[in-house]
Amino acid sequence: MGSSTPLVKAVKGMNDILPAEIARWHAVEGAFARAMQRQGYREVRTPYVEPTPLFVRAIGEATDVVEKEMYSFTRHDEPLTLRPEGTAGAIRAYVEHGVHNQEPVTRWYYLGPMFRAERPQRGRYRQFYQLGAECIGDPGPGCDAEMIDALAGFLREIGVAAPDVFINSIGSGDTRARYKDALVAALTPMKDELSADSQRRLATNPLRILDSKHPADAEAVARAPTILDFLSDADRAHWDELRRDLDALGTPYTVDPKLVRGLDYYTRTLFEIKGAYDKLGAGSTLLGGGRYDGMVKDLGGPEVPAIGFAAGLERLLIASDVEAPKSVVDVFVAPVGDGTQAAGLVLARDVRRAGLRCEVDTRKASMKAQLRRANALGARVCLILGDREVNQGVVEMKELAGHVQEAVARADVVARVAAVVASPVPEASPKEGGA
RNA sequence: GUGGCCGUAGCUCAGCUGGUAGAGCGCUGGAUUGUGGUUCCGGUUGUCGCGGGUUCGAACCCCGUCGGUCACCCCA
């Protein structure tokens, strides 16, 4: 007993999630799966490890993720990487299995761990969990609006207070390139006013200056042209219809022309949902996504449009007020005395065969200890089995919440317990007088 | 990756200007020789994150390191 200094500790930024917390994880994951299934999405599972070139190709060579955040290694001469995000693998699978030949529109969702070698912070870990979905084969914008609306609804469902939706369009084709030139042209005269980071970005990745948190950068950006003025006619039509659809759905949103994202693959629609600013600080982006009409082709498939998103599960859990169910078992079997252990084992097995969750004490603990355990596990019923009961062919059935106890014939007890568990929980009885 | 702050029991934390550790919760035993949750009484746990240095003496001061946290970079 007592404490000890672990010889080996978990890797920095990679955390254990113990059962007490898992209950909340299940609640959010379950709500997510139901929300997606309601829209015809089906789960897909792809490997945690992919060939490194997949991410380089899909995410973009010049992105931070690829440049410095990937867990990459070589095995059997093959360069491999722990997936830093989910879309690349999903699209790889889509192309590899020729899914476009099987159906016109593909709706997939996924959930699982992702890996990025960043400095850990609250809501940002090196192994973290994402919930995500891809809708492949629909050019939008109705599909875009539907996704955004559904996500806002999902967040409300899991008790995220007042999620804020931000949208933007970065166009398609050469829109981004033309805008980039215009932005550089506008910002270059103000170069001296920019932060050191942004002066560097002017050459490397000017779009990133748009969402810089430095006040001086924000001021300069306010005087620079906005990307929405650079959209082609087709891009503009997509953008206008997206907003009309969102309006029709009644989903509130904010247009943020400074919204840009870190992965290179996006086209047209871009969105982000933030929330729980008080608890998440700078990491308040709960979820982000957008359209990536070029990726399927880039990975060797046909020209098929797609849109997707990913949400950070740890962040959702921080932002959400979902509560974990406290109950671990429905029934606790308490064999009391010397010769009752075997009868207890049999009784517990019979209870489980009726589909109930049941733990039986095999420690030969005192009755007090067993009842305390039954209570701690949130059992609805405790079945007490002493020598007396075994001899008489009965079991004491005690309802923990109501303090009612009754001797029930052994032959009837499973059915009786099942009925009790299925019935609504009685009001908590008033505290005993005296104190 | 850069910078600031923090690191004491399983958890939350106290520990005055250096004199070798404490509370609550939890767990556990009893009051109630077969009845939990409430109440009362008792018990339990620490190489004070780790390594080194200063000192007669370090949880406290110094250096390093690991971890956490906040901001930046970036992102979910």
Side-chain angles (χ1 to χ4, degrees):
Chain A
M1 275 264 275
S3 107
S4 38
T5 307
L7 289 173
V8 180
K9 295 196 284 185
V11 173
K12 176 178 179 151
M14 304 202 182
N15 306 118
D16 301 310
I17 304 139
L18 300 179
E21 297 169 69
I22 285 287
R24 291 190 78 232
W25 285 60
H26 282 329
V28 171
E29 289 166 354
F32 172 71
R34 285 190 298 276
M36 296 317 295
Q37 286 166 12
R38 239 181 271 143
Q39 300 177 79
Y41 281 76
R42 292 186 290 170
E43 182 175 351
V44 64
R45 297 193 190 189
T46 62
Y48 296 176
V49 179
E50 295 276 3
T52 302
L54 171 66
F55 300 115
V56 177
R57 254 196 117 70
I59 299 174
E61 204 146 7
T63 57
D64 287 273
V65 170
V66 168
E67 268 179 3
K68 51 188 198 194
E69 293 171 3
M70 295 205 299
Y71 280 97
S72 297
F73 57 98
T74 298
R75 189 77 201 209
H76 303 310
D77 289 328
E78 188 178 14
L80 302 172
T81 293
L82 266 38
R83 62 180 189 188
E85 57 102 54
T87 299
I91 299 305
R92 194 221 79 238
Y94 176 87
V95 171
E96 191 166 329
H97 297 277
V99 179
H100 64 279
N101 286 322
Q102 303 167 43
E103 55 188 14
V105 177
T106 297
R107 296 183 207 274
W108 284 353
Y109 75 89
Y110 61 83
L111 73 184
M114 306 294 163
F115 303 85
R116 288 188 213 179
E118 296 180 281
R119 180 103 162 225
Q121 217 171 294
R122 165 174 277 250
R124 174 211 278 191
Y125 306 101
R126 291 185 170 178
Q127 175 174 329
F128 63 107
Y129 294 78
Q130 283 192 334
L131 312 173
E134 319 293 346
C135 176
I136 311 159
D138 186 322
C143 161
D144 308 11
E146 182 183 43
M147 180 174 275
I148 293 167
D149 175 64
L151 290 171
F154 160 65
L155 292 183
R156 277 191 296 273
E157 217 168 287
I158 60 169
V160 174
D164 290 326
V165 176
F166 298 92
I167 62 171
N168 191 24
S169 174
I170 56 167
S172 58
D174 65 346
T175 296
R176 202 189 326 200
R178 284 189 297 115
Y179 175 65
K180 203 183 281 187
D181 291 343
L183 185 64
V184 173
L187 255 25
T188 302
M190 308 184 245
K191 184 169 180 180
D192 295 341
E193 301 165 37
L194 297 176
S195 68
D197 275 329
S198 287
Q199 294 189 17
R200 182 175 42 77
R201 283 188 282 228
L202 205 48
T204 57
N205 196 350
L207 291 187
R208 294 248 65 104
I209 301 175
L210 293 178
D211 65 350
S212 166
K213 291 184 184 114
H214 200 101
D217 295 342
E219 226 173 281
V221 164
R223 285 179 279 155
T226 153
I227 193 162
L228 291 172
D229 292 332
F230 284 73
L231 298 182
S232 67
D233 290 347
D235 289 340
R236 174 149 295 283
H238 187 105
W239 170 242
D240 289 340
E241 195 177 331
L242 167 66
R243 285 180 298 149
R244 275 199 302 275
D245 289 345
L246 282 174
D247 291 339
L249 287 163
T251 299
Y253 60 88
T254 305
V255 172
D256 179 7
K258 298 191 296 297
L259 174 61
V260 290
R261 318 210 70 252
L263 314 179
D264 272 356
Y265 51 63
Y266 289 112
T267 55
R268 290 188 169 166
T269 307
L270 231 50
F271 61 91
E272 217 168 71
I273 303 184
K274 300 189 183 200
Y277 305 99
D278 52 331
K279 296 180 206 148
L280 282 164
S284 292
T285 302
L286 300 172
L287 169 169
R291 180 158 283 288
Y292 49 94
D293 291 337
M295 192 192 297
V296 177
K297 189 172 187 200
D298 284 348
L299 294 180
E303 205 162 331
V304 173
I307 183 169
F309 76 90
L313 186 42
E314 289 89 344
R315 290 183 186 183
L316 292 183
L317 284 161
I318 291 168
S320 152
D321 64 9
V322 289
E323 281 179 33
K326 296 259 178 344
S327 165
V328 177
V329 297
D330 303 306
V331 181
F332 190 89
V333 173
V336 179
D338 287 335
T340 58
Q341 180 92 180
L345 291 173
V346 173
L347 176 57
R349 188 201 53 196
D350 291 350
V351 168
R352 292 173 189 135
R353 281 182 176 167
L356 301 177
R357 300 172 301 162
C358 176
E359 180 174 310
V360 54
D361 185 284
T362 48
R363 305 173 294 174
K364 300 183 176 161
S366 71
M367 168 163 262
K368 178 183 182 138
Q370 295 196 49
L371 271 164
R372 195 187 299 132
R373 173 92 179 147
N375 190 62
L377 291 174
R380 184 74 192 281
V381 174
C382 184
L383 296 178
I384 299 164
L385 202 53
D387 297 308
R388 213 158 59 208
E389 285 77 21
V390 172
N391 289 336
Q392 294 170 12
V394 298
V395 175
E396 285 291 338
M397 182 176 79
K398 181 183 179 73
E399 283 187 64
L400 278 302
H403 299 271
V404 281
Q405 181 170 333
E406 178 186 354
V408 176
R410 176 61 180 81
D412 301 333
V413 73
V414 172
R416 287 290 308 280
V417 166
V420 169
V421 170
S423 68
V425 184
E427 291 297 313
S429 68
K431 298 259 170 76
E432 326 272 289

